[in-house]
Amino acid sequence: SQQGEEDPQALSIQEGENATMNCSYKTSINNLQWYRQNSGRGLVHLILIRSNEREKHSGRLRVTLDTSKKSSSLLITASRAADTASYFCAGGTSYGKLTFGQGTILTVHP
Amino acid sequence: DTGVSQDPRHKITKRGQNVTFRCDPISEHNRLYWYRQTLGQGPEFLTYFQNEAQLEKSRLLSDRFSAERPKGSFSTLEIQRTEQGDSAMYLCASSLTYRTGGNSPLHFGNGTRLTVT
């Protein structure tokens, strides 16, 4: 079963614009993680935010977490064509199991 | 750090045949996970190990699926009597977890793509 919904399912932007992806989850989590996947490849970890944190930054990435609404968002600033990929959120339990969302397909046009 | 490796990269099999996939995690990682991913979907949890102990197996996983991690190193995932619905990408991931806090990121392999004809 999937953790929840991601919104939008697909996002198409121009290089230099910001991209925002949202994720809602169903069950209680210990942490929320974001991953990126290029076509036909495995997933690559981007950032982890703990349930007691509200916002986290890493380079051009900004993640927010609202546990009262069971939602998270990923912002990629100043997007590049190389950011084109699928992005997944995943809710983590205290014992380490991760449950993934459906993903957002991001296309950045040069 | 040579990363997580999976073998084979692609497997085509006929319905009813058994298949086995192998995953070699990052050497110092104690956790190993198996996920299944179909086109346009997120990875679906199958099972995971802490060293050689299998901690959880998805309720969605039929008895045709079995996974092992002997000696807490590499892992194998076997599917018996394959069905067309088993066609998917099978992903392995590993992590290093110091305690039960479970906050470690997963490192994924590039997967084994299974096609059942």
Side-chain angles (χ1 to χ4, degrees):
Chain A
S1 62
Q2 298 296 320
Q3 174 64 272
E5 299 295 322
E6 291 187 58
D7 172 51
Q9 289 187 329
L11 180 60
S12 181
I13 59 174
Q14 295 295 126
E15 210 166 25
E17 294 180 340
N18 295 342
T20 300
M21 289 161 267
N22 301 297
C23 161
S24 62
Y25 56 91
K26 297 175 182 175
T27 60
S28 295
I29 58 170
N30 173 277
N31 63 87
L32 190 128
Q33 302 182 31
W34 285 88
Y35 288 78
R36 162 198 170 121
Q37 184 178 35
N38 288 90
S39 180
R41 306 296 295 272
L43 285 77
V44 175
H45 179 260
L46 295 176
I47 194 166
L48 180 154
I49 185 166
R50 294 182 175 83
S51 59
N52 61 354
E53 297 175 314
R54 291 296 167 259
E55 186 171 315
K56 199 162 183 179
H57 297 254
S58 176
R60 294 185 295 114
L61 305 180
R62 172 179 169 255
V63 170
T64 63
L65 179 64
D66 186 336
T67 52
S68 66
K69 295 181 180 178
K70 288 189 166 55
S71 67
S72 174
S73 69
L74 171 68
L75 169 67
I76 304 174
T77 59
S79 63
R80 306 164 181 168
D83 294 330
T84 294
S86 293
Y87 291 83
F88 297 91
C89 70
T93 64
S94 59
Y95 44 90
K97 176 183 170 182
L98 272 186
T99 305
F100 285 83
Q102 306 275 27
T104 293
I105 300 171
L106 174 65
T107 304
V108 182
H109 299 280
Chain B
D1 181 354
T2 58
V4 177
S5 62
Q6 293 188 243
D7 183 66
R9 281 285 279 137
H10 302 275
K11 178 70 177 178
I12 300 174
T13 191
K14 292 185 178 180
R15 190 178 52 170
Q17 297 295 304
N18 299 345
V19 294
T20 301
F21 310 140
R22 177 181 171 120
C23 171
D24 286 272
I26 293 172
S27 57
E28 64 268 25
H29 283 185
N30 55 357
R31 290 269 178 103
L32 187 147
Y33 301 77
W34 285 99
Y35 285 84
R36 175 172 63 189
Q37 186 179 28
T38 54
L39 197 62
Q41 301 294 313
E44 177 186 28
F45 171 80
L46 295 180
T47 188
Y48 79 120
F49 295 83
Q50 170 94 15
N51 300 314
E52 66 276 8
Q54 189 172 19
L55 297 186
E56 185 176 341
K57 183 176 175 180
S58 170
R59 292 191 303 270
L60 302 175
L61 214 57
S62 79
D63 291 341
R64 296 184 297 107
F65 287 72
S66 63
E68 293 182 341
R69 194 185 181 197
K71 303 177 183 178
S73 55
F74 71 93
S75 176
T76 58
L77 177 68
E78 181 184 17
I79 308 174
Q80 296 181 328
R81 304 180 304 281
T82 52
E83 302 172 355
Q84 287 187 323
D86 297 331
S87 294
M89 175 79 87
Y90 289 83
L91 294 164
C92 176
S94 69
S95 70
L96 180 60
T97 302
Y98 293 103
R99 59 187 192 277
T100 57
N103 281 340
S104 303
L106 301 190
H107 298 254
F108 280 84
N110 283 326
T112 293
R113 182 167 296 285
L114 173 67
T115 302
V116 182
T117 61

